[in-house]
Amino acid sequence: MTYEKLDYDGSLIHSRFAYKTIGKDIARFPFGWIYATRGNMDVKENLIDLEDKINNDFIYSDDALSFCWEIPNMNAAGAVFFQRLFVHEIADLLRSGAYGKLDIEVQGDDLMCRKHGMEDFGKASVSITKVTENTALGHLGLNINAGSKAPSFAFSLFLDDDQTAFLCKRIVKIFYEILEDVFIATTKVL
């Protein structure tokens, strides 16, 4: 799977979206599904993070990869555990060197990258998850080029198109590998 061109405004994860997006093909993904898009991120009206709403924050990136997922049979704690595991796996992937030498830390659900030659870290991602109808809905956005309208703390990965497409495929693969591994772990206990 590669990404589709689509700007992200935050509305997708306000309700169950997998069936609306791929219809009956959802039967091929009983343990969860991920939708990858590339475009800008501009989220003001559709924020679901109460902290962001209280602080009048927003999400913006000129060019980003967005990953939206839907995982059935999940409670709120499970959704956050999955989200954080997923973010850690992506951090490991970005640290691998295939995308340049990135100094990355995970803070909660955020990927923080040290700017070249700087002491400060910039935020390379946004992520949120929630549970609706016993199903985890989540979003992770990675700034390819955050642009001048993004918050000052944003970090851009500045990947070329080939690197971005390859990264997208690897992240989608990680998503399904985690789900498969978790499913196997739930079936092998006495």
Side-chain angles (χ1 to χ4, degrees), residues 51-69:
E51 181 180 22
D52 287 348
K53 285 189 176 207
I54 289 170
N55 294 327
N56 203 26
D57 281 341
F58 64 97
I59 296 168
Y60 185 86
S61 184
D62 281 347
D63 184 15
L65 279 175
S66 284
F67 300 91
C68 295
W69 61 83

Side-chain angles (χ1 to χ4, degrees), residues 44 81 84 91 106 128 130 134-135 139 145-146 155 175 177:
K44 293 179 187 86
F81 285 130
R84 292 184 182 213
V106 177
I128 194 71
K130 70 173 193 168
N134 202 37
T135 298
H139 171 254
N145 180 3
F155 178 89
F175 175 85
E177 285 172 350

Side-chain angles (χ1 to χ4, degrees), residues 79-94:
V80 171
F81 285 130
F82 173 84
Q83 174 200 34
R84 292 184 182 213
L85 174 61
F86 190 42
V87 168
H88 276 274
E89 291 292 322
I90 293 168
D92 286 346
L93 174 63
L94 290 170

